Structures are given as C-alpha cells and as structure tokens.
Amino acid sequence: MSQAKASHEHLLRVFTKPEGRDSRLSQIEQHLSDNLADFLSRHVVASDTSLEEIEQDFKVSSIPQQPQFVSEHADMLLNKLVANSVNTYSPRFIGHMTSALPYFHLSLAKLMVGLNQNLVKIETSKAFTPLERQVLGMMHQLVFEQDEGFYQQHLHSADHSLGSFCSGGTLANITALWVARNRLLAPTEGFRGIDREGLSAAMAHYGYRRLVVVSSRRGHYSLGKAVDVLGLGREQLVTLPCPGQRLDPAQALAEGKRIRQQGGRVMALVGIAGTTETGHIDPLDELADVARELDCHLHVDAAWGGATLFSRRHKELLKGIERADSVTLDAHKQMYVPMGAGMVLFRDPKAGNAVRHHAQYILRQGSKDLGATSLEGSRNGMAMMLYASLHILGRAGYELLIDKSLAMARTFAAMIDEHPEFELTTAPTLCLLTYRYCPAALQEKMAHQPKLAEQVNPLLDELTVAIQKHQRESGHSFVSRTRFETDRYPQQPINVFRVVLANPLTTEQDLQAVLNEQVRIARNLDWDPELSRHCQ
Ligand SMILES: *Cc1c(COP(=O)(O)O)cnc(C)c1O
C-alpha cells in the first residue's frame, strides 16, 4: 500500500474531495445506510474479547507523525473499534437506557455534521436557534400545558427562556440547580448576588449555615455532581430512605423543617419521575405541596420518565410535574434521539435570567443567543433530531412506543413471577424492573425465616454477580445489575438484575431467551454448598 504524504494537496483533498464510490469509507457508509442491523451483526462481533485484550489495541500514546489514507484508517476502525463495540440495537440488550434508534437519525446525523452549526450564538446557527427555541417550547407545552398566548409571548423572546438544551440529564440537573441557587441567593439591598460575590458572601449575607438539596436515595448520581460543582458540597445533598422506592413527602417535609431549625436552608427539593434503577416515580403533586411549605425550588428529574407524558393512559403517573419549577428531560432515552439531547425546562420563563451571562463579541445584551443562559458553550444542532422525531413520530407515535414498552415490562414481570427459578424484586411502574435468580423453594423458606434470609441473601448476591458477568461476557444477551434495599428486605441491600424494556424490537421470545440463558448459566456455576443445601 502506498504511503499518504503530508502535502498541502493531500490535506486540501481531505477537506474538499468526497471519497470515491469505491473507497472503503463509502462502502461502510453505504452498508450502514442500506441495512444498519446487518452492518452491526456483521461488524460488531467480538463481544467476548476482554477489556484488557482490547486495551492492547489502544496502548500507543504518541500521535502518528505521518498521515494515513482515509480508507486505510476506516479499516483500522472497523477492526479495532467497531468489532469491539456494544450492539445497543440488539433486542436482547435490555440492561440499559440506550437502545435502537429510528433509521432516519443516521442520515440526519450526517446533515448535522455537514452543516456543523454552533448553537451558542445566532451568528453560527441562524435558523437552528429559532428551531431549538421551538423544540423547547414544544416540550415545555408537553410538561406545563400553558396556553397559546403564553408561547407566542415567550418562545422567541430575548428576555425569556423556556429552558435550555444540553448534552444530557446530568447537565440539565446541574443547570436546574444552578438556577435554583442563583434565584435563592439573588441580588438584594446590600448584596450584588451570588453570581457576582460568590457563595461565601451570599451565605453570610443571607445568614444561612448550610444550603441543602433534598432527594430520595434513588436520586441519580448527577445530583451529587451538581451540589459539588455548585459549591454546596456533597454532604449537603440529603438523600432520604424511600419505602416502596418513592420519596415520602412527610419525611421530606420533616427533614426540611429540621434543616431550617438548625439555621440551614433547603435550596431545592428534587422529585424523580422514573428512577434510574427501578423506574419508580415520586409523588410529585405532594412534593409540590412540600416545596411550597418549605418555600424552596422544586426540581423534577424526569430524564427517564418524562416521555410518559405522551401516553394518555399513563401520564397520570406524573401528576404534579406541571407544578415543578424546573424539569429535566432526556430525549436520548425514551424519545429515541441519538445521545447528546438533554433539556431542562423552566415553568417561569424568567427563571433562566438568574444565570444569564454576556460577552462582548457574542451574547450581547438583548441578543437571542442561546449561549447566554446555557452552561455549555459550543453545541451542535442536536435539537434538529428531536424536532424531526416530534414531527415524524408525532404525539401518537410516541404514545404507541411508550404504551408498548410499559406493556412489555408488565409481560416480562409476569414471566418472571411465574418462573420457578426467578424472583421479581421490584415490579415495573414504567418499563424498568428488577429481579434475581432465586428458586421458588428458597423464596418460600426465606419468606418464613428472616434469619435464613439474612444468611442466604449474601450468597444469592454472589450468584447474581456471577450470572450477570457470564451473560455479559458470552455476548448473546445483556441485563445490568444494581444493589439496593427492597420492600421484602428493607434492612439488607441485595444485588438484582436490572432490565430496561425500551427497545421496540424486543419480543417475548427475546425475553424468554434471556431467562433461558440465565438458567443455563446458573446451573453451570459452582454453587456455594450452603446455598445448594438451602435450595433443596
Ligand atoms: C439518565 C439519567 C440522568 C443523567 O442523564 P445523562 O443524559 O446520562 O447525563 C439523570 N437522571 C435520571 C433519572 C436519569 O435516568
């Protein structure tokens, strides 16, 4: 093979000349767009390779001195990278929130890169800015259901923002709490605001000994990052135990009062609409009452569960979300948009002004640049993907998808319940559930002998880990794993399999295959003799 040269000519070609039809990269491109499933099943193949082996392919830390031909490089990517990726489109990959996408996103991704717009400012995005504002308005309307006049007034207003588009739920949660913090520690007589004077001056001015965020133990770890970044400190994220996997409003209120009595201030109460681990939904309406009583910001983390609002049958589960001050949504979860599509929405269109920043060369006073109220700087035109999905699928399409996922989760829960070797550990509220391998005879014994349960649970924990690991390594199917207290064992956290049934291509046969594989793996493992004895 001839060597590429670092000449001006070569480099200009890289920027301008489309690859010839016969080049390796265009073959890959063609295959991808002709039949993605076939491409993935052919090229994402080496699922049993260990991470240590793969690291051998990525161990050189010097930058290549000489250029490489694009075709040559494409082959390298196929062999080293694609082959050892994870096939998240597989209907038997049911362990995480990342799944198959509608086919048109592949072409739209190309369009997005082709245009390479930067949403931080209008000068580099033009129509993309109004489009993003419209998308934020559409999602705002889904959550807060304001009237037409409200949206006409605020959608494209330079002094308002209905929300902020960002890379994901993490950034959305941080943005929401950033706004909550700055609104609480706002400028007033003798104080220029936390954004000017900083946290310690603000605390001194307002006389707060601590600023606290209250959530349940099932809150997403991004809340911990948020209180860290915002200068509050991780210890100021108070996570309450959650009987039935939901935050108890009475307990939240009592905790808030206690904090206040001790000279602290609750900055925000966070309700979760679809916990990451079990998919449970906090009692949002009651939490809104608590937030009102504590006079604090109510944030609802609906990164996962927000899309449930599309379902007329199930939206009641999120009752009260419209009373939140801010809401996080992730379009790259149950809205089937590629990753990088998070949003925070504000009920009050003026809320975002608490974090408004200006700069001389962009984001000038009075400009409609989205970057003025976003945490991130340069951002791509991901809003276009959501815009497209909202049109191509419509409310009706999303409703079908959500209803189907929830129905599938209920089907799987019934299959687990009826199966003689599995135990359902949390039933699905949305399309998430957890379970573990635990033969019925043993379940029966444990139910009647708490002491035995205490002894056996750690042994079952080991079994759960081993089954999950073998299943992941064999690469035919995948469930994830987590650990928490269940209602049956409130004092003893247990390991469980976690399943997310969001891939519309997953069938009952796939679910049966997942269970069959787990039974096969369990039977072939070396069991702790004590556990075997108890199972007899
Ligand atoms: C996924 C998720 C997040 C984080 O979102 P990213 O997009 O991964 O940053 C936050 N909260 C909840 C409840 C989630 O499910």
Side-chain angles (χ1 to χ4, degrees):
M1 191 170 282
S2 61
Q3 176 80 43
K5 288 250 173 54
S7 64
H8 265 295
E9 216 180 317
H10 173 86
L11 291 179
L12 283 180
R13 251 203 323 271
V14 168
F15 273 87
T16 54
K17 192 188 170 202
E19 286 287 315
R21 298 308 306 167
D22 59 349
S23 85
R24 204 61 197 97
L25 192 59
S26 36
Q27 284 167 7
I28 294 171
E29 219 179 319
Q30 198 62 45
H31 193 176
L32 266 172
S33 43
D34 285 351
N35 191 339
L36 180 61
D38 184 66
F39 176 87
L40 294 174
S41 66
R42 272 169 204 256
H43 292 288
V44 184
V45 285
S47 51
D48 54 353
T49 319
S50 76
L51 191 61
E52 288 71 27
E53 283 174 78
I54 297 171
E55 281 166 358
Q56 291 306 308
D57 280 338
F58 298 95
K59 65 179 181 191
V60 180
S61 59
S62 58
I63 299 169
Q65 179 61 30
Q66 293 304 325
Q68 195 178 26
F69 283 115
V70 172
S71 290
E72 221 176 295
H73 187 67
D75 270 328
M76 188 170 104
L77 286 181
L78 272 193
N79 297 333
K80 291 186 180 183
L81 187 70
V82 179
N84 291 304
S85 304
V86 173
N87 185 356
T88 57
Y89 278 65
S90 159
R92 295 184 186 181
F93 181 89
I94 54 171
H96 285 301
M97 295 176 165
T98 313
S99 82
L101 298 172
Y103 81 93
F104 55 81
H105 281 306
L106 207 53
S107 311
L108 290 180
K110 236 167 133 174
L111 181 60
M112 185 175 78
V113 174
L115 291 168
N116 199 27
Q117 305 289 290
N118 184 350
L119 278 282
V120 74
K121 54 189 184 289
I122 292 166
E123 288 174 4
T124 51
S125 64
K126 205 80 174 277
F128 272 71
T129 290
L131 172 136
E132 186 168 297
R133 283 179 176 271
Q134 184 192 352
V135 168
L136 287 166
M138 288 166 142
M139 299 312 293
H140 192 283
Q141 206 267 341
L142 180 73
V143 173
F144 296 106
E145 298 184 323
Q146 299 293 305
D147 60 27
E148 188 53 30
F150 173 91
Y151 293 104
Q152 287 313 315
Q153 188 188 342
H154 298 114
L155 201 62
H156 297 291
S157 158
D159 311 319
H160 299 92
S161 78
L162 298 178
S164 190
F165 217 92
C166 52
S167 70
T170 299
L171 262 289
N173 283 340
I174 294 175
T175 307
L177 295 177
W178 182 28
V179 166
R181 190 196 66 169
N182 286 16
R183 289 182 103 194
L184 181 65
L185 306 174
T188 146
E189 186 72 36
F191 178 61
R192 292 189 307 284
I194 182 174
D195 58 332
R196 301 287 170 95
E197 297 198 35
L199 187 61
S200 52
M203 301 283 276
H205 178 84
Y206 280 96
Y208 300 141
R209 291 177 55 189
R210 54 191 291 226
L211 276 189
V212 181
V213 174
V214 176
S215 154
S216 93
R217 279 197 195 154
R218 297 289 169 271
H220 190 263
Y221 61 81
S222 54
L223 298 175
K225 291 183 181 177
V227 289
D228 179 359
V229 172
L230 293 172
L232 275 56
R234 295 232 173 119
E235 287 172 12
Q236 308 312 330
L237 175 65
V238 172
T239 59
L240 301 173
C242 33
Q245 310 296 337
R246 302 165 86 219
L247 184 55
D248 173 8
Q251 224 183 340
L253 182 61
E255 181 64 23
K257 287 183 172 167
R258 202 179 61 81
I259 290 164
R260 190 165 266 194
Q261 269 157 19
Q262 294 172 349
R265 180 73 163 86
V266 179
M267 182 183 100
L269 176 63
V270 180
I272 308 155
T275 63
T276 317
E277 284 169 288
T278 67
H280 281 79
I281 299 169
D282 287 336
L284 304 177
D285 211 24
E286 289 162 87
L287 291 181
D289 293 336
V290 174
R292 188 189 293 160
E293 184 148 358
L294 294 174
D295 185 27
C296 71
H297 185 105
L298 176 66
H299 175 62
V300 172
D301 183 355
W304 172 254
T308 312
L309 292 168
F310 285 112
S311 164
R312 280 166 297 178
R313 192 180 313 163
H314 299 292
K315 68 181 282 193
E316 265 307 290
L317 291 167
L318 273 66
K319 187 171 180 305
I321 193 171
E322 71 285 354
R323 296 174 64 194
D325 294 292
S326 55
V327 172
T328 284
L329 296 177
D330 250 348
H332 60 223
K333 290 182 176 168
Q334 287 194 96
M335 292 184 70
Y336 305 95
V337 164
M339 246 166 295
M343 272 161 289
V344 57
L345 304 169
F346 298 112
R347 184 162 45 92
D348 174 0
K350 284 206 162 71
N353 291 340
V355 297
R356 192 173 284 278
H357 274 243
H358 296 286
Q360 280 312 316
Y361 74 108
I362 52 166
L363 320 180
R364 293 176 200 96
Q365 296 277 355
S367 88
K368 294 182 177 181
D369 293 338
L370 292 161
T373 53
S374 66
L375 183 54
E376 286 165 281
S378 296
R379 262 181 331 102
N380 63 18
M382 190 56 83
M384 175 186 74
M385 315 300 242
L386 181 51
Y387 182 80
S389 277
L390 288 170
H391 284 87
I392 295 171
L393 300 173
R395 280 185 90 116
Y398 274 120
E399 179 172 41
L400 280 174
L401 286 167
I402 296 289
D403 286 351
K404 179 161 192 286
S405 297
L406 267 67
M408 192 55 94
R410 277 152 185 70
T411 302
F412 195 38
M415 286 164 69
I416 291 165
D417 239 357
E418 285 158 19
H419 199 291
E421 289 171 79
F422 291 99
E423 175 187 4
L424 188 68
T425 47
T426 57
T429 302
L430 300 177
C431 61
L432 261 84
L433 60 83
T434 67
Y435 67 106
R436 66 176 176 173
Y437 184 85
C438 179
L442 184 55
Q443 284 182 48
E444 182 69 20
K445 279 194 220 172
M446 290 169 78
H448 297 110
Q449 305 174 49
K451 276 265 170 316
L452 176 74
E454 222 166 279
Q455 249 175 23
V456 171
N457 273 331
L459 304 175
L460 286 172
D461 285 346
E462 285 173 27
L463 191 65
T464 305
V465 172
I467 294 171
Q468 195 263 352
K469 185 163 176 279
H470 274 78
Q471 188 171 21
R472 186 189 55 189
E473 284 172 359
S474 80
H476 303 298
S477 57
F478 173 79
V479 303
S480 59
R481 171 166 65 77
T482 185
R483 179 178 176 80
F484 53 74
E485 303 89 0
T486 58
D487 289 345
R488 193 169 286 173
Y489 306 111
Q491 304 303 330
Q492 190 180 28
I494 56 169
N495 287 347
V496 296
F497 304 128
R498 167 176 169 269
V499 157
V500 184
L501 289 167
N503 188 337
L505 306 177
T506 301
T507 62
E508 271 186 65
Q509 285 76 17
D510 291 315
L511 299 178
Q512 195 57 58
V514 168
L515 292 183
N516 291 348
E517 186 173 20
Q518 290 182 322
V519 168
R520 203 161 45 239
I521 293 169
R523 289 183 185 160
N524 285 330
L525 285 169
D526 285 329
W527 286 40
D528 184 290
E530 202 189 331
L531 185 60
S532 310
R533 193 162 53 76
H534 290 307
C535 283
Q536 267 140 38

